[in-house]
Amino acid sequence: MALIDDLRSLNGIRVHEASFTEVGGAAYFTARRGLDTHVGCAGDGGLAGERVGQAAGRPVVLGPLGHGNATVIRDRLPWTAPRLLGLATSIGLGDRLGLATPGHIRAVRGTGVACVLAQQSIREMTRTQRTPEEIIDCATWGALQEGFRDGFGADADHLQRPEDVDATLAAGFTFFTIDPGAHVNDDADGMSLEALGKAFETLDFAALDSSADDLKARYLDRRFALSGGGEVAIGAADLLRAAVKYGGAVAHTAAMYRHLSGKADRQVEVEVSVDETESPTSPGEHYFFAAELKRLGVHWVSMAPRFVGRFEKGVDYIGSLDEFRQSLAQHVAVMRTLGPYKISIHSGSDKFSVYPIVADLTSGLMHLKTAGTSYLEALRAVAAIDPGLFRQILDFARGRYGTDRATYHVSAEVSRVPAASDVADNDLAALLDDFHAREVLHVTFGSVLTADGGSRFRDPLLGALRRDEEAHYAALERHIGRHLAGMARH
Ligand code: ZN
């Protein structure tokens, strides 16, 4: 009998068929035993685990989805390790529960869009009590389970400090999102010319490897022709505002970049993001920021300006689409002039009305970042699998929203989210289509997942998703699939 047939007949074990991979005299696979997924091998596969039988005359070992085994799998099956994505049209799919990757793969496979399957910020890792190693391991296991050989990236998102770079570099991340947002001076937009002039003189020019005179010589009263015909004209007020607003961010980004380049023992790629600031990035400021980063030797594959309008978590774009299109066209012209690099859309989930605009104007030079929307799809699946658990999470989230919303840009009103007792079982899942319920459930994920050390909601939530993993994957495939459909160019 063939090896795969013998594996199928092992007692109490159900092999994920798509995972079965033979290489170098060993066969690797993932399999369910009870509610848990394990990694297995037949033959000399190098995995730690227990011997559970024989297949085609070879010993079969089944082991835990731990870091040691993940390292073995990445070594033997290189396509389960993260790689560089370059300028390919791409989507970042954050997975806060560690179970979403198979659903993400099913959505993205065959679309031609490259994917990041491991993506989390240090802030989110803290909120979900996960380590950088775990984030990558979960992507590895998902890629093995689905037999996904197209490759994927690993994004260490929103890095703010050098030690964040160290931790994620050591864990094997390939894509580093430098976030100098804390060094963007949002007050610059409202400052008088005089105040800007004073603030300009106090900039840390040494950190910029420049001087006030140098900066003026480079930009003041100059017009920069843009690819495609437009131009950026920088007058005195424009220069002062751009330098005061983004000067510190330029210096911090360059320092973080040098730190990363100095420590990296392999090729890595970089994104620069200033999306989490109060005021939008004007095209002129984008030009100044990117030109200064280039001057300081920073290389990046994507950049996330702060766009006009509101990119609230888990819901569609709020604002004028015409204004967004006009502004994006200018950002794209700057990108084509100083790049090319990808325009990165953060808080990018569920912005269905803007995807066609971005795909069209950038000609596919776009990266879309999503994360919380997959958590919401997990909740949608749980609403059907275990309505009682979903009800408890809903009421807990309603109680937490007032506190947890503080660090997010959201406008939902908790009074418009019904108490669990007022909703029939059959209507629970539909809450995931409601603006207010989505935001309330979205921003409370950290509190939900860490309540009572995870025993209150996280463990039962993971248990429910393991009980019916296909329902979870189907919800993800459908919802992320809608995003990818919007990104397709027509
Ligand atoms: Zn972001």
Side-chain angles (χ1 to χ4, degrees):
M1 257 206 315
L3 181 58
I4 183 75
D5 293 321
D6 279 0
L7 289 173
R8 282 191 195 113
S9 62
L10 285 173
N11 226 349
I13 290 165
R14 192 173 60 74
V15 173
H16 291 112
E17 299 274 331
S19 70
F20 184 77
T21 309
E22 286 192 88
V23 59
Y28 296 92
F29 57 91
T30 59
R32 294 281 298 249
R33 187 165 59 179
L35 286 184
D36 290 324
T37 298
H38 299 262
V39 59
C41 61
D44 180 18
L47 294 178
E50 64 175 295
R51 177 109 177 242
V52 293
Q54 284 220 340
R58 302 187 220 173
V60 176
V61 168
L62 212 55
L65 301 184
H67 184 59
N69 280 341
T71 305
V72 172
I73 290 295
R74 283 190 287 268
D75 181 53
R76 304 289 171 92
L77 309 175
W79 42 271
T80 64
R83 66 170 174 89
L84 304 180
L85 301 181
L87 293 180
T89 305
S90 51
I91 185 166
L93 299 159
D95 172 13
R96 291 170 180 167
L97 298 172
L99 297 178
T101 296
H104 289 160
I105 287 171
R106 291 181 192 185
V108 82
R109 185 176 238 160
T111 61
V113 173
C115 61
V116 167
L117 297 177
Q119 170 197 293
Q120 208 153 39
S121 63
I122 297 287
R123 178 182 62 194
E124 278 183 15
M125 288 180 213
T126 306
R127 278 186 186 164
T128 53
Q129 297 171 343
R130 300 173 81 207
T131 65
E133 287 79 11
E134 278 178 75
I135 310 301
I136 295 193
D137 291 349
C138 287
T140 291
W141 297 129
L144 177 63
Q145 183 175 320
E146 292 296 306
F148 182 65
R149 293 168 174 251
D150 297 0
F152 61 90
D155 177 0
D157 203 6
H158 284 288
L159 300 169
Q160 299 184 324
R161 307 167 308 165
E163 51 267 42
D164 299 345
V165 171
D166 299 346
T168 50
L169 187 64
F173 280 82
T174 50
F175 182 108
F176 295 80
T177 298
I178 299 174
D179 175 7
H183 303 264
V184 173
N185 185 346
D186 280 315
D187 296 338
D189 281 7
M191 286 163 74
S192 68
L193 203 54
E194 191 191 346
L196 285 171
K198 278 187 186 148
F200 180 80
E201 294 302 327
T202 65
L203 285 175
D204 184 351
F205 290 103
L208 290 169
D209 195 18
S210 188
S211 68
D213 287 344
D214 281 350
L215 271 187
K216 285 176 181 162
R218 273 199 296 283
Y219 297 102
L220 188 54
D221 293 330
R222 290 189 57 184
R223 312 173 88 82
F224 300 93
L226 295 182
S227 166
E231 66 171 20
V232 164
I234 299 184
D238 303 317
L239 172 60
L240 294 179
R241 186 164 286 117
V244 169
K245 187 170 171 183
Y246 284 106
V250 169
H252 183 71
T253 302
M256 289 280 282
Y257 181 81
R258 284 193 296 269
H259 182 83
L260 171 64
S261 307
K263 292 223 165 172
D265 56 357
R266 57 186 188 271
Q267 266 202 304
V268 295
E269 51 199 5
V270 166
E271 170 164 313
V272 183
S273 76
V274 287
D275 63 297
E276 294 191 354
T277 56
E278 280 305 316
S279 68
T281 313
S282 73
E285 288 162 354
H286 180 168
Y287 189 95
F288 172 85
F289 188 48
E292 284 297 286
L293 290 176
K294 272 182 86 167
R295 179 179 64 80
L296 292 169
V298 179
H299 296 273
W300 65 96
V301 294
S302 49
M303 180 174 284
R306 161 73 157 85
F307 292 107
V308 294
R310 302 211 318 262
F311 285 73
E312 296 192 4
K313 298 287 182 185
V315 297
D316 206 342
Y317 178 76
I318 302 171
S320 156
L321 286 173
D322 281 342
E323 195 190 344
F324 177 77
R325 175 186 277 278
Q326 281 172 26
S327 161
L328 179 66
Q330 293 176 286
H331 283 294
V332 169
V334 172
M335 172 273 277
R336 291 194 196 282
T337 305
L338 297 174
Y341 43 87
K342 291 185 272 192
I343 296 289
S344 182
I345 311 284
H346 283 223
S347 301
S349 74
D350 305 282
K351 305 298 178 291
F352 297 109
S353 60
V354 309
Y355 303 147
I357 298 173
V358 181
D360 178 28
L361 292 181
T362 63
S363 317
L365 278 167
M366 70 177 290
H367 180 61
L368 183 70
K369 270 195 209 196
T370 74
T373 203
S374 292
Y375 168 74
L376 294 179
E377 288 310 303
L379 292 183
R380 190 194 298 274
V382 166
I385 300 168
D386 187 345
L389 175 60
F390 180 84
R391 289 173 182 284
Q392 291 173 38
I393 292 173
L394 175 64
D395 282 341
F396 179 80
R398 291 171 72 245
R400 288 293 313 179
Y401 178 67
T403 307
D404 291 353
R405 66 177 295 180
T407 53
Y408 291 96
H409 295 283
V410 283
S411 56
E413 294 165 44
V414 71
S415 61
R416 299 180 66 171
V417 180
S421 57
D422 292 339
V423 187
D425 273 3
N426 283 340
D427 297 329
L428 288 173
L431 287 172
L432 275 310
D433 299 316
D434 174 77
F435 176 92
H436 298 277
R438 286 185 71 81
E439 290 200 339
V440 166
L441 289 167
H442 191 299
V443 303
T444 51
F445 78 92
S447 298
V448 167
L449 295 179
T450 54
D452 298 336
S455 63
R456 187 165 176 194
F457 299 121
R458 186 190 60 205
D459 298 346
L461 188 60
L462 296 178
L465 296 173
R466 288 192 175 109
R467 218 154 55 234
D468 194 349
E469 61 180 354
E470 288 298 325
H472 182 208
Y473 302 155
L476 289 165
E477 181 177 5
R478 187 173 54 240
H479 192 67
I480 299 299
R482 280 183 67 200
H483 292 67
L484 290 156
M487 291 167 69
R489 283 152 64 203
H490 301 288

